[in-house]
Each structure stands twice: as C-alpha cells, then as structure tokens.
Amino acid sequence: AGRSLYRQSQNLFQDMRMIVDSVRDINAGMRGLLKIGMIYSNISIALQYLKEFRAQYPQVELYVRLGSPGDLLEDLNKGDLHLLFLRSSSERGSGLHERILGEDPLELVMIRELDPAPDQASVPLEALKGVPMCLLRSDDLWGYSNYLIKECQRQGFTPNTTFLKNECQRAGFSLEVVCQCYDTPMAMQLVQAGFGVSYLPRSIVETQPHLGLYTKPIQGISVLSYPTLVWSSNLYYASCVKRFLAMFEGEDAEK
C-alpha cells in the first residue's frame, strides 16, 4: 500500500509542478523556465538549437544539466527536466517521443603527433598497428560501443570486445589499448595529453576547440551516431517548452 501511494503521489506532484509552470508562464508571457538535460557529446549540437531559441525568446530562462542517459531519463520521467539531448542508442522508457537531429559519424580523435596517417584524409585500418588507443569501456553509459556492435552484426558477426579490435584482428594484428575510459571528457583529455587516439563522434572536438584535437575516418569503416531530442508524452508542458518543440517540426519524423 505504501509503495502504491508513493508511485501515485510522485505522478501527482509531477503533474502539479508542470501545471504551476504553465500558469506562471501565462502570467509572465514568454518568461518561463526551460529545463534541458544533455550528454556531453551533444553539447555543440544542443547549443545550436538553444542559441536559435534564445534569439527568439530572450526572456525565457534556461536551465541546462549534463549527465548520463540513465540519470537524465529518470529526471525527465519525474518532471524535473523538460527535454533531453541524447543519442539514439540510449535506452528508452515507455511514453517517450524522440526526434533524430542528424547524423554524426564515429571517427578517430587525435593530435598531430599521433596521427597514424598524417598525409591522408582518412586512416587505413592497417595504419592503426602499434598506435596506442584510449577507448571508452564496452559498457560506457553513452552507448558508443552499441553502434560498433550493431555495425559488426550487420557484417555478420558479433564482437567479443570492440569493433576496432575485431577489425584489426581480422587484418592480422592486435590493437594496442593503453586506456579504457569511463567518459568522453576523460578520453579527450588523455588524447590531448598524448596517451593515444580515441574513437568518438566527430562533433565531439567542437566541445573543446582549445585542445587542438581533430578527427579522421577509418577507411572502409562507417559507423553513424544519431543525436536525438527526447521528451515525454505524459507531461503537461508550459508554453515555452511547446515553443521549443515547435522548432523541430521540420526535422526527421518522430520515431
């Protein structure tokens, strides 16, 4: 009985917060509060939309929080966040809508000193032999490894480690992994410090342009990541949130 009361009261308070936000929004015009969550790899993509929205509605207050997909989805379902910028591989719950915002290929992230093919626009697979790698763990919360695993499965096999490791083994050599990172900021810092190269979404270098990082694709390997906007269908949204969602009416169809 206590657990049932707790679940129902959570939904009640969630709805009440949304109703209060909506009434406050009406009284203040377009001075409402837009609460957005995002993962690190989507910072540069989300900022493009936030800048556009800010130019149209400068009096709307923005609350932005970085976090892991699981934590952000939990806060979205509780009504503590209105919208999320995630990646399409993240786990979803029921009652959620999503809109894909484009394609973001996974590429090698590096500094000039560790570029395995400095005179080429892309890196041959065999050029990775002996190159130190700083990869995200296979169970990373952002799900980049899921893209690699799915790509392998489309090619007819399931990897035991990561896509790059398997592809290198098929080419006759082992990949030298010197670091397994928990998150993308740490991977980028390690790359910038010269520990090795990494394998991340291409747009990631835009989050820290001062690090001097750049990306290159791997020849013959094409893995795409999909930045995605996620929101709940079970919440009563204030006008400012609806205005933000209206910006995406011309984007890819809702999934």
Side-chain angles (χ1 to χ4, degrees):
R3 285 193 294 268
S4 176
L5 175 62
Y6 174 76
R7 285 195 297 269
Q8 294 183 61
S9 64
Q10 286 289 97
N11 293 333
L12 175 62
F13 288 128
Q14 170 183 299
D15 292 341
M16 285 298 297
R17 283 196 297 269
M18 290 300 177
I19 292 172
V20 170
D21 285 345
S22 177
V23 173
R24 184 185 297 116
D25 188 41
I26 293 172
N27 290 334
M30 286 304 293
R31 295 177 180 268
L33 175 64
L34 180 61
K35 297 179 285 188
I36 294 177
M38 66 182 72
I39 58 175
Y40 183 85
S41 63
N42 274 350
I43 291 177
S44 61
I45 296 168
L47 288 180
Q48 297 175 16
Y49 292 102
L50 291 179
K51 287 174 66 176
E52 180 181 346
F53 183 78
R54 185 71 170 175
Q56 296 182 48
Y57 307 104
Q59 294 180 318
V60 173
E61 182 181 354
L62 299 178
Y63 170 83
V64 181
R65 187 168 76 82
L66 288 175
S68 68
D71 291 341
L72 295 176
L73 284 167
E74 182 179 350
D75 286 345
L76 178 70
N77 289 325
K78 291 191 301 185
D80 294 335
L81 294 172
H82 296 136
L83 310 156
L84 305 179
F85 284 90
L86 299 178
R87 297 272 166 169
S88 58
S89 68
S90 301
E91 294 296 326
R92 302 282 187 265
S94 60
L96 297 180
H97 293 293
E98 68 175 39
R99 197 172 293 275
I100 294 176
L101 306 177
E103 298 178 348
D104 194 4
L106 291 170
E107 297 185 352
L108 292 173
V109 180
M110 64 193 78
I111 58 175
R112 195 164 305 279
E113 292 79 3
L114 291 177
D115 190 336
D119 300 325
Q120 301 183 51
S122 58
V123 177
L125 187 63
E126 59 271 17
L128 293 177
K129 185 175 182 179
V131 175
M133 302 288 295
C134 301
L135 300 180
L136 293 182
R137 302 184 325 183
S138 59
D139 62 342
D140 71 277
L141 295 175
W142 284 263
Y144 299 143
S145 296
N146 292 337
Y147 292 108
L148 308 180
I149 293 171
K150 289 178 182 178
E151 183 70 12
C152 291
Q153 291 171 341
R154 281 196 288 267
Q155 299 298 322
F157 68 96
T158 300
N160 293 322
T161 53
T162 66
F163 187 36
L164 283 177
K165 279 188 176 181
N166 278 277
E167 287 296 299
C168 290
Q169 289 169 356
R170 286 158 66 105
F173 63 91
S174 297
L175 191 65
E176 182 183 352
V177 181
V178 298
C179 296
Q180 291 193 33
C181 309
Y182 182 77
D183 56 24
T184 50
M186 178 56 69
M188 294 176 66
Q189 291 292 333
L190 289 169
V191 172
Q192 194 272 336
F195 281 85
V197 303
S198 194
Y199 192 58
L200 299 168
R202 182 169 62 190
S203 66
I204 199 75
V205 298
E206 299 175 15
T207 61
Q208 297 194 42
H210 62 283
L211 292 183
L213 304 179
Y214 60 94
T215 69
K216 284 186 178 182
I218 302 174
Q219 293 179 14
I221 298 179
S222 177
V223 185
L224 295 175
S225 173
Y226 298 92
T228 306
L229 181 72
V230 179
W231 68 98
S232 175
S233 60
N234 300 324
L235 302 179
Y236 184 84
Y237 283 137
S239 297
C240 64
V241 183
K242 294 177 181 178
R243 294 287 179 91
F244 188 81
L245 287 172
M247 295 172 53
F248 301 88
E249 290 179 353
E251 302 284 349
D252 292 341
E254 203 175 279
K255 292 183 66 178

